């Protein structure tokens, strides 16, 4: 969680960069030729892979930098010198690409795609037609009013609402301003993300908003020292301009789940505190006052940690008036995301399941979902579901959408169940449930969550698994179905492993025979995340200590007929089975990893090992170690890391291969980049930090820096001086397609597309969002 020093609004952050030049730093030595040139070969936004990577990038962001002892207040993200860190203890300015790439770039690069899908692009089903928000499936102005009024409620409860020019969201929304019909220009919240989309956009590059002024339809406070791109304060130019042809109108559990997982992480981050009218991050509120939090004009007085107390125990009284979210704008966005997640929970539970692979449906009630067990008729999520929409006409150019495309039908495209989809849903609903679980002291038990799920703005729950129509029970019901289907559909009882794909014919399960390294490994991560969630021990980031086996869970009282063991015990058994199979069948004696294993032929795939296969196995085995305290899994991860070091690291150019047979051409994608981030981070935490491994620990951090800067930014620091010789050391393209204000770009024409000279273009020049490309190919010179 971010430190209180960073709990400020966007406009205040922009103000930090008022003195853009910064201190004069020494120039690096003249560069030789870069090792690589690179080219983006696919700009498609592949939702599932992108958000799997984004999850790993967030965890490898601010929290990793803090673990290294960095003070988050020390980063100057608006300086024209890249990677600047101002040491708060000495006041000395240093260039620190390693921690900057974590705390600022990896962290923000993971957040901005989530905002893009949740609020900006429109690449999914509009929240206007969410089954909770709009149960009657109204359209036209009736549907518009439902969404507008709900967003207004969220603006009030986060203290983000106000007249034009005085707060972030105009309330009431202007009825005569075609640029701003929902209170924030171009706001397009969606509750179900499409499988993929072509993300080309045309962001306004005028640099016309100072902070967020009421110019051109903008809402919000006219403060801030920098003139920023208009798209930062309104999303009209961030909507997909040809949305109907740019999106792939397919829903898949993998995309829905990994996006939900990512949203859950960010919302938990936003909900680390509430805030008062003076901007203090309130962490303590009297129980009797919780119902008043977020109410307009409330006079609740909370407490916040005394910044002058190094122990963090001393508390100070805040000012009267406490509202939801750590800061106003993040509170409004966070409430919107919770609404999106809540509506998604009904969609997946009641509308996107099938019992025959032909017809879609689901459970008639939340209670029926929580009662699903091993003897109930099978229901599962098809791997792909095609969506038809009504084709609502786009508004005139440069104005805001008011009535969004309405989904009119869903049809099964691929009836099989896929392990990756269940893994994604397990992690996603685990995060969502933790936010609602008052028994979880570090997430749902915080005053911020208790004040949110107290009946207003979201339904209260009695904290029992009894099927109430609440976020708590709906998340729990989805988790129950996921965990049962993992076992019933995908677990091969003879080979004792979860297979990648399963179908059902005539009520009989037909399991596939492929076990891939990536899916087998991330299944461990997803199951462990779900187990920690229902055990009320899931936290935002501190999940790197061995788990307590046998702890009570939120589903202990739920029906579970026909189960081979109590649910928590069975989940641990599945984790062990996965890890045992990986060690026995997917890892060779020399520590190398096979991409997959064919159960029918009883032999591994012979193709060259992919980077993501080795990285995922390391990630999964280390989670298996944490879930079971069985050191054999950590030892196996160490064998694989030795092979990763030996076969994949190219010391001459300081880069990882993306395939064991690739030396001159490296093809990077979100799955390879994200899984490697996860593997290096966890290996550093659980192995390299051990006494005696200091050299290994330093080596891993150097490789994290190098990979982040080369692959994400496209900066090839061939002379290893940690200074960007711009543009000579820019390879042509990094996986990060573009940047916005929170990573140094202000959207001003005079900045020539790369204000901070870090090799990543500003979005109005790139005409692409701040998101990862589908693939980028690096070629040796």
């Amino acid at each position: 969680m971010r430190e209180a020093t960073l709990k400020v609004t966007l406009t205040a952050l922009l103000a930090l960069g008022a003195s853009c030049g910064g201190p004069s730093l020494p120039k690096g030595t003249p560069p030789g030729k870069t090792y690589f040139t690179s080219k983006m070969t696919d700009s498609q936004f592949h939702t599932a892979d992108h958000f799997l990577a984004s999850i790993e990038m967030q965890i490898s962001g601010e929290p990793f930098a803090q673990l290294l002892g960095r003070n988050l207040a020390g980063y100057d993200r608006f300086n024209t010198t890249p990677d600047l860190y101002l040491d708060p203890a000495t006041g000395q300015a240093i260039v620190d690409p390693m921690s900057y790439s974590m705390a600022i770039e990896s962290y923000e690069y993971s957040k901005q795609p989530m905002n893009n899908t949740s609020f900006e692009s429109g690449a999914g089903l509009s929240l206007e037609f969410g089954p909770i928000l709009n149960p009657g499936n109204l359209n036209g102005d009736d549907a518009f009013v439902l969404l507008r009024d709900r967003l207004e409620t969220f603006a009030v409860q986060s203290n983000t609402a106000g007249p034009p020019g005085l707060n972030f969201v105009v309330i009431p929304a202007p009825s005569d301003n075609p640029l701003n019909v929902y209170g924030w220009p171009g706001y397009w919240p969606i509750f179900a993300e499409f499988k993929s989309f072509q993300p080309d956009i045309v962001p306004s590059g005028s640099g016309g908003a100072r902070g967020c002024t009421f110019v051109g339809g903008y809402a919000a406070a006219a403060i801030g020292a920098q003139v920023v791109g208009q798209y930062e304060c309104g999303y009209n130019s961030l909507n997909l301009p040809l949305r109907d042809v740019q999106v792939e109108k397919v829903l898949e559990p993998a995309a829905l789940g990994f996006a939900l997982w990512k949203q859950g992480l960010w919302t938990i981050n936003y909900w680390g505190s509430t805030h008062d009218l003076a901007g203090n991050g309130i962490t303590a509120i009297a129980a009797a006052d919780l119902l008043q939090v977020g109410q307009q004009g409330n006079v609740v007085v909370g407490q916040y940690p005394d910044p002058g107390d190094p122990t963090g125990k001393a508390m100070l009284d805040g000012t009267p008036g406490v509202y939801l979210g750590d800061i106003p704008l993040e509170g409004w966005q966070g409430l919107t995301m919770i609404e999106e997640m809540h509506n998604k929970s009904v969609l997946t539970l009641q509308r996107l399941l099938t019992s025959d692979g032909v017809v879609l449906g689901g459970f008639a009630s939340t209670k029926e979902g929580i009662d699903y067990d091993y003897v109930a008729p099978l229901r599962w999520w098809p791997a792909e579901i095609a969506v038809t929409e009504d084709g609502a006409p786009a508004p005139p150019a440069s104005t805001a959408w008011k009535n969004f495309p309405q989904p009119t039908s869903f049809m099964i495209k691929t009836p099989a169940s896929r392990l990756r989809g269940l893994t994604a849903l397990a992690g996603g609903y685990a995060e969502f449930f933790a936010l609602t679980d008052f028994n979880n002291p570090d997430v749902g038990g915080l005053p911020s969550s208790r004040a949110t799920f107290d009946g207003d703005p979201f339904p209260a729950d009695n904290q029992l698994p009894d099927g109430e129509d609440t976020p708590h029970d709906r998340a729990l019901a989805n988790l129950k179905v996921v965990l049962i289907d993992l076992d019933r559909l995908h677990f091969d009882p003879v080979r004792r492993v979860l297979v990648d794909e399963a179908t059902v014919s005539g009520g009989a399960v037909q399991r596939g025979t492929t076990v891939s390294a990536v899916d087998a490994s991330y299944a461990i991560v997803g199951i462990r995340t779900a187990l920690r969630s229902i055990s009320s021990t899931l936290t935002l980031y501190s999940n790197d200590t061995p788990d307590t086996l046998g702890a009570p869970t939120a589903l202990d009282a739920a029906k579970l007929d026909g189960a081979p063991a109590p649910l928590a015990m069975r989940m641990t058994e599945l984790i062990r089975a996965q890890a045992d199979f990986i060690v026995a069948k997917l890892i060779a004696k020399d520590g190398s990893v096979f991409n997959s294993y064919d159960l029918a032929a009883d032999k591994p795939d012979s193709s060259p090992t992919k980077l993501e296969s080795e990285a995922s196995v390391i990630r999964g085995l280390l989670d298996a170690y944490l879930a079971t305290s069985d050191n054999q899994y950590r030892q196996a991860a160490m064998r694989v890391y030795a092979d990763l070091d030996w076969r994949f690291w190219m010391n001459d150019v300081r880069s990882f291969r993306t395939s064991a047979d690739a030396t001159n051409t490296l093809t990077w994608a979100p799955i390879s980049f994200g899984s490697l981030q996860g593997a290096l981070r966890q290996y550093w935490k659980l192995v390299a930090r051990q006494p005696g491994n200091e050299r290994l620990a330093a080596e891993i951090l150097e490789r994290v820096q190098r990979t982040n800067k080369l692959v994400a930014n496209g900066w090839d620091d061939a002379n290893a001086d940690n200074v960007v010789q711009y543009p000579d050391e820019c390879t042509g393209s990094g996986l990060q397609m573009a940047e916005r204000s929170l990573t140094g770009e202000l959207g001003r024409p005079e900045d020539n597309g790369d204000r901070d000279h870090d090799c990543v273009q500003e979005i109005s020049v790139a005409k692409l969002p701040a998101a990862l490309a589908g693939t980028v190919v690096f070629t040796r010179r």
Side-chain angles (χ1 to χ4, degrees), residues 647-704:
R647 285 200 302 156
F648 282 83
W649 179 253
M650 298 182 290
N651 202 52
D652 60 331
V653 291
R654 297 182 294 121
S655 174
F656 285 98
R657 293 180 170 89
T658 52
S659 177
D661 64 340
T663 298
N664 296 320
T665 302
L666 313 178
T667 302
W668 285 93
I671 188 69
S672 50
F673 182 68
S675 60
L676 180 63
Q677 280 230 17
L680 294 179
R681 179 192 70 245
Q682 295 304 105
Y683 199 77
W684 185 88
K685 289 181 178 180
L686 299 174
V687 178
R689 290 182 76 193
Q690 299 296 311
N693 288 343
E694 290 79 10
R695 181 175 179 180
L696 172 63
E699 180 180 85
I700 289 174
L701 293 178
E702 289 174 2
R703 292 178 181 183
V704 168

Side-chain angles (χ1 to χ4, degrees), residues 368-385:
E368 190 180 354
I370 283 186
D371 285 345
Y372 183 68
D373 58 20
Y374 284 79
V375 299
L378 272 170
R379 297 178 191 263
W380 72 95
W381 288 285
E384 293 183 309
I385 297 167

